[in-house]
Amino acid sequence: NDGPTLFGVKPLSRVGLNLSFNFHSGTPYTRVDPSWGSEGVFGIQHPMPLEPYNSSSLPWFYQLDGKLEKGFSIGPVNVDAYLWVINVLNSKCVTNGYRATGRPDDDGWLSTNQGKDWAKQYGPDGVKWFRAIMTYCGSWGWQAPRQIRGGLKFEF
């Protein structure tokens, strides 16, 4: 029963707002020669590092999440209505990257002689499709976009 009274009702009673801000400095990685091409998970040969172990790092990551709740009672049942927003700022941070470039949308292979020859053969459309497939159509290595969820929680 906290808060002001408006038309005989306390609208801020049983209201909650939670914010969570997560951030971290870039994840370290070791750059490798892009001539090895796209990296496989279980490769037999491992690319030669171009620098000391974990000398490079991905960019900083940050995300703000928020949840607004309002509780009320319907007879003997307590109900919580909530709105939960993940990635409120809709930030688009890098979460993973290829070791040759540190980017999720470029493994560096197209900058090699073999990659340049391939790009000439297949043209701009081929390069576009190569990049789309390499990043699983744009979702790999990037932070998930803003998500808005709502719901009701019943307590008997």
Side-chain angles (χ1 to χ4, degrees):
N1 289 328
D2 290 338
T5 303
L6 184 64
F7 303 111
V9 177
K10 294 194 175 282
L12 296 180
S13 176
R14 296 175 62 186
V15 170
L17 175 64
N18 296 290
L19 296 173
S20 174
F21 184 67
N22 297 299
F23 67 95
H24 61 82
S25 62
T27 305
Y29 72 97
T30 305
R31 283 188 6 178
V32 297
D33 186 353
S35 64
W36 287 83
S38 294
E39 303 166 39
V41 176
F42 299 107
I44 295 172
Q45 299 176 347
H46 298 284
M48 196 67 163
L50 296 176
E51 61 188 2
Y53 185 67
N54 282 342
S55 294
S56 294
S57 63
L58 296 176
W60 279 66
F61 174 90
Y62 64 93
Q63 179 169 309
L64 177 67
D65 299 335
K67 189 173 186 182
L68 177 64
E69 298 177 274
K70 170 68 174 156
F72 52 94
S73 296
I74 301 175
V77 179
N78 288 324
V79 180
D80 283 333
Y82 65 88
L83 182 66
W84 182 16
V85 182
I86 302 168
N87 194 5
V88 172
L89 304 174
N90 201 26
S91 51
K92 189 175 180 180
C93 297
V94 172
T95 59
N96 206 345
Y98 291 100
R99 292 185 297 163
T101 62
R103 296 196 43 86
D105 56 356
D106 182 13
D107 68 352
W109 182 74
L110 289 174
S111 65
T112 66
N113 289 335
Q114 184 182 8
K116 288 176 185 176
D117 291 342
W118 185 92
K120 283 180 191 173
Q121 180 180 355
Y122 291 99
D125 286 339
V127 170
K128 182 175 105 176
W129 281 105
F130 175 83
R131 290 190 190 282
I133 291 168
M134 183 179 62
T135 61
Y136 308 138
C137 297
S139 63
W140 179 82
W142 295 102
Q143 180 177 8
R146 180 184 303 124
Q147 299 174 44
I148 301 174
R149 301 175 181 178
L152 297 171
K153 181 173 74 171
F154 297 93
E155 293 179 5
F156 297 96

